[in-house]
């Protein structure tokens, strides 16, 4: 049985709209929700990037059933891991146990804003592992002191702790991140339907743990309109994580995707209003072994129509196909 999720894409809508959208997603019957956590949008055409944690707090109060999750937060540059632990514990309390903390090693696009440069991926993985250890220690309660290679923690304690700590999800894109996820995570996160990632996750201790995937879709009654919107706002998606994590600015993504055509986008993202096309786009994730799949509807202004269509057409079609 595959659960279908809704994505609050902070790069394409303002904070009040994002909360309105997740409230409607809960009403429409989505099984869970995830939230991006960016400082910049990928492309200027997306046009937004509010503070995800404030949106999560508002969403926790405005909803009552739908689970919430960061997809994903980097706990090593913009945010110190001790602060991430405090934020996550607070959202878990506000949501009454509906929150999961999705973590990843970050993107230059968002983390460069605090200075300090952008280290090699090996260093980023070292920092990430240390950060997860700090977060888990704080979730256990009591005072935490830490003198590490990359972080110091001085007599920190979380004074408001939920009865159950937020499960930690770890984003993966290769063998090293799968090793970290299998060993340190409660679930795994990926944006590509690669069975090899899940197999590596299992080898390193992830067997039996939830696995959450994500893919973009672009609903519109007029398919050409959907393709045009997807090309305008999401043509960066096919560049791959090794490229996307290194680029420092929306203008860099503009340059890197200048030769991507609308047809290229339409080949990789389901566009229009044919539910069968959306089902077939989800299928590789289900067949790879993902237990949860979060859909990203492209375009902030298109969310209300997409959510209405999802309730009436898309979600029933996906549940018929995947339980």
């Amino acid at each position: 049985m595959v659960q279908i999720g809704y994505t609050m894409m902070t790069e394409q809508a303002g904070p009040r709209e994002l909360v309105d959208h997740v409230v409607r997603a809960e009403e429409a019957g989505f099984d869970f929700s995830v939230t991006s956590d960016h400082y910049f949008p990928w492309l200027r055409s997306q046009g937004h990037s509010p503070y995800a944690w404030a949106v999560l707090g508002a969403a926790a109060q405005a909803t009552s059933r739908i689970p919430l999750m960061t997809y994903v937060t980097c706990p090593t540059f913009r945010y110190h891991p001790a602060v991430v632990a405090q934020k996550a514990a607070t959202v878990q309390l506000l949501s009454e146990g509906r929150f999961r903390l999705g973590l990843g090693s970050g993107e230059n696009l968002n983390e460069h804003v605090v200075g300090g440069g952008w280290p090699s991926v090996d260093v980023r993985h070292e920092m990430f592992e240390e950060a997860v250890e700090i977060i888990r220690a704080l979730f256990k309660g009591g005072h935490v002191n830490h003198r590490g290679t990359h972080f110091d923690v001085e007599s920190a304690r979380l004074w408001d702790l939920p009865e159950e700590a937020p499960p930690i999800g770890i984003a993966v894109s290769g063998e090293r991140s799968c090793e970290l996820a299998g060993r340190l995570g409660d679930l795994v996160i990926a944006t590509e339907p690669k069975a090899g990632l899940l197999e590596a996750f299992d080898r390193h201790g992830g067997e039996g743990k939830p696995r959450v995937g994500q893919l973009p879709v672009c609903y519109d009654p007029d398919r050409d309109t959907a393709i045009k919107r997807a090309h305008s706002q999401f043509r960066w998606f096919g560049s791959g994580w090794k490229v996307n994590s290194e680029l420092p600015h929306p203008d860099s993504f503009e340059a890197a995707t200048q030769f991507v055509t609308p047809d290229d986008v339409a080949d990789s993202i389901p566009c229009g209003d044919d539910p069968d096309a959306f089902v077939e786009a989800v299928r590789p994730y289900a067949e790879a072994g993902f237990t949860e799949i979060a859909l990203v509807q492209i375009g902030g202004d298109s969310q209300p129509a997409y959510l209405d269509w999802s309730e009436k057409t898309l979600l029933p079609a996906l549940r018929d196909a995947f339980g």
Side-chain angles (χ1 to χ4, degrees):
M1 179 170 158
V2 174
Q3 292 189 317
I4 303 299
Y6 174 78
T7 300
M8 288 187 281
M9 185 59 70
T10 59
E11 297 78 31
Q12 62 182 19
R16 295 181 66 89
E17 291 75 21
L18 289 164
V19 174
D20 289 344
H21 297 160
V22 76
V23 168
R24 180 68 185 99
E26 179 177 70
E27 294 171 350
F30 280 89
D31 297 311
F32 68 100
S33 69
V34 302
T35 309
S36 57
D37 184 359
H38 271 221
Y39 201 93
F40 276 83
W42 285 283
L43 297 171
R44 290 178 180 271
S45 57
Q46 292 177 307
H48 294 273
S49 204
Y51 183 51
W53 289 89
V55 173
L56 282 166
Q61 293 296 284
T63 58
S64 60
R65 174 195 62 81
I66 195 167
L68 306 168
M69 179 180 179
T70 49
Y71 206 98
V72 295
T73 287
C74 175
T76 52
F77 292 92
R78 278 182 297 153
Y79 310 138
H80 190 283
V83 177
V84 173
Q86 183 189 35
K87 294 191 289 190
T90 298
V91 174
Q92 179 75 320
L93 287 166
L94 286 170
S95 65
E96 298 182 300
R98 291 183 284 131
F99 180 65
R100 295 180 293 178
L101 176 61
L103 299 175
S105 58
E107 299 166 80
N108 196 5
L109 176 69
N110 306 299
E111 309 309 323
H112 79 271
V113 298
V114 295
W118 187 239
S120 69
V121 66
D122 289 343
V123 173
R124 301 201 303 268
H125 283 150
E126 286 179 8
M127 296 176 70
F128 183 78
E129 181 171 4
E130 190 175 336
V132 174
E133 291 171 352
I134 291 168
I135 292 167
R136 285 214 180 272
L138 286 164
F139 281 170
K140 291 178 180 177
H143 287 83
V144 173
N145 290 283
H146 177 87
R147 294 288 181 272
T149 304
H150 301 286
F151 300 104
D152 291 335
V153 180
E154 185 73 36
S155 189
R157 175 186 171 186
L158 300 182
W159 286 86
D160 290 277
L161 269 174
E163 290 185 9
E164 182 178 342
I168 292 177
I170 293 180
V172 299
S173 59
E175 185 71 22
R176 173 59 173 149
S177 55
C178 287
E179 186 272 325
L180 290 172
R183 181 162 51 87
L184 301 175
D186 300 306
L187 56 139
V188 68
I189 293 166
T191 57
E192 297 176 286
K194 292 182 177 179
L197 293 175
L198 302 186
E199 291 165 2
F201 175 61
D202 288 345
R203 284 199 306 274
H204 295 292
E207 190 170 356
K209 298 177 182 179
R211 43 214 65 204
V212 187
Q214 186 185 55
L215 77 155
V217 300
C218 197
Y219 163 78
D220 197 280
D222 182 83
R223 187 168 185 269
D224 289 340
T225 298
I227 293 172
K228 182 178 180 180
R229 186 194 312 131
H231 179 259
S232 172
Q233 297 193 24
F234 245 76
R235 63 184 181 273
W236 57 271
F237 188 75
S239 299
W241 194 251
K242 289 183 178 180
V243 173
N244 289 343
S245 64
E246 301 294 337
L247 299 178
H249 193 273
D251 291 346
S252 305
F253 282 85
E254 296 279 359
T257 59
Q258 61 183 309
F259 299 114
V260 177
T261 68
D263 286 342
D264 294 332
V265 172
D267 286 341
S268 60
I269 296 174
C271 296
D273 64 353
D274 178 3
D276 291 340
F278 288 64
V279 167
E280 291 310 307
V282 169
R283 191 175 302 282
Y285 288 83
E287 292 179 346
F290 286 88
T291 56
E292 305 174 44
I293 302 164
L295 305 182
V296 184
Q297 165 64 8
I298 299 170
D301 293 343
S302 70
Q303 300 301 308
Y306 165 72
L307 288 164
D308 288 345
W309 178 72
S310 294
E311 181 177 20
K312 297 173 184 175
T313 304
L314 180 59
L315 289 176
L318 290 172
R319 288 182 179 130
D320 283 347
F322 307 113

